[in-house]
Amino acid sequence: MSAATTRSRTPDRLCAEAVDLARAAAEEAAAPGVVGEHVGVVSEGDRVVTHFFESKEPGYRGWRWAVTVARASRAKVVTLDETVLLPGTDALLAPEWVPWSERLRPGDMGPGDLLPTEADDMRLEPGYSGEDAPPPNSAVSDEMADRVEAEDAEIVSRTPSRGAIGAVAEELGMRRARVLSRYGLHTAADRWDDAFGAKTPMAQAAPATCVSCAFLMPLGGSLGQAFGVCANEFSPADGRVVSLAYGCGGHSEAAVMPKPPRPAAPVLDSMRADEFPLRPAPDSGSVPDHADGSPDDLGHS
């Protein structure tokens, strides 16, 4: 270990004893009554020392007031260098700042919110044409222009402007300036497969996959080979993009509901009349037996 390193780790005696000077500087920079006890001293170099004081500021738990003092070579007077509030090892710190584009999550956007895309967004690529620069051997390339200039000739550039390209694209029905790139297609497919794919619990318990379901509406383009839109109002994926390997209990061919049994028609016999006696028979048990043979007076005249 060198002598310079040893001196840098040993605080200067006069600077280390300047605790009152450091405290006065900290109290001047801070609010009244927030500078606490002296908690340590650290050597920053030759005749440069930092004093640390406890901070009692509300909301700054574990922070310390750091006051750096120094003195010139062969000088007896210690002078103030810097006063700052620094976090300690157990200080309460704010979380690391994250840009808004990285904090945004699906579902965070609301009515009126705008989400601008960057010019070099990896999910997008030009929709009209690739590069605006002409090919190397074309009549309007830089190489050909240099040759013409060397021969004192003149050419007329035929490179279409961006406005002309946009007009032609709109006339052909291609109004989107940018479309999904291969990376954008892959990331979208990964999200949809995670939400409504073959590995979800619903698909694992389904009787069949969506590829054979009548409620599946196919997609156009390359994504139609692996995804579709569910149109079953009773399915948990109604109106969502689902993988062809997804499935649920609402599959159109999962089961055929049996028809409810139809009750038999009532049988009515209207060909003959049934005779019903007006008085019960004497031997039926419902008429009292009279010894004298005379019936009771029923009140008839």
Side-chain angles (χ1 to χ4, degrees), residues 79-158:
T79 58
L80 179 65
D81 188 6
E82 184 182 30
T83 303
V84 66
L85 182 63
L86 297 177
T89 56
D90 58 343
L92 181 63
L93 301 176
E96 184 179 357
W97 183 81
V98 180
W100 69 268
S101 58
E102 300 179 12
R103 297 196 306 266
L104 194 65
R105 293 293 178 266
D108 289 349
M109 291 187 60
D113 294 340
L114 297 178
L115 179 60
T117 57
E118 299 180 359
D120 55 349
D121 196 323
M122 296 180 59
R123 302 170 299 173
L124 306 175
E125 62 183 12
Y128 298 152
S129 60
E131 299 293 334
D132 292 337
N137 295 327
S138 66
V140 294
S141 64
D142 296 336
E143 180 182 356
M144 297 299 296
D146 294 339
R147 293 183 181 179
V148 172
E149 184 178 356
E151 298 177 0
D152 296 333
E154 182 180 357
I155 63 171
V156 177
S157 175
R158 299 182 182 224

